Amino acid sequence: MVLIATLARQIHKQHKADSVEAVSTWLFVGQMTASVLFIAYSALVGSTVFVVTNCLILATAVIGQVLAVRRRRRRE
């Protein structure tokens, strides 16, 4: 829950920021890739807790990326 709260706060801060130049697309791509792989591994070993947790982490990466893309498009 601490990690999810931290990521949610970062997304909120990013959403309120005037600029997205400092937001790395590769950070979100890496986070999404890692989350998908952890979800697959967690499912294979039968860990529901980690499947749910990693799905939430994946959701934060997707939301963060969507917000960054929208902001970039508005600036163009």
Side-chain angles (χ1 to χ4, degrees), residues 63-75:
I63 291 167
Q65 182 62 24
V66 167
L67 291 175
V69 167
R70 282 184 178 175
R71 176 75 48 95
R72 284 185 184 110
R73 286 184 180 163
R74 276 190 232 143
R75 294 216 180 250

Side-chain angles (χ1 to χ4, degrees), residues 2-76:
V2 172
L3 178 59
I4 300 303
T6 303
L7 292 169
R9 175 70 181 134
Q10 183 60 39
I11 289 171
H12 182 270
K13 185 175 180 180
Q14 172 190 328
H15 179 65
K16 296 295 180 183
D18 289 334
S19 173
V20 291
E21 282 76 34
V23 178
S24 171
T25 299
W26 288 108
L27 172 67
F28 290 115
V29 170
Q31 183 182 351
M32 287 185 274
T33 302
S35 291
V36 167
L37 293 172
F38 277 124
I39 291 165
Y41 174 76
S42 298
L44 287 173
V45 298
S47 178
T48 305
V49 171
F50 284 112
V51 169
V52 171
T53 302
N54 284 299
C55 284
L56 292 172
I57 293 170
L58 177 60
T60 63
V62 170
I63 291 167
Q65 182 62 24
V66 167
L67 291 175
V69 167
R70 282 184 178 175
R71 176 75 48 95
R72 284 185 184 110
R73 286 184 180 163
R74 276 190 232 143
R75 294 216 180 250
E76 293 175 354

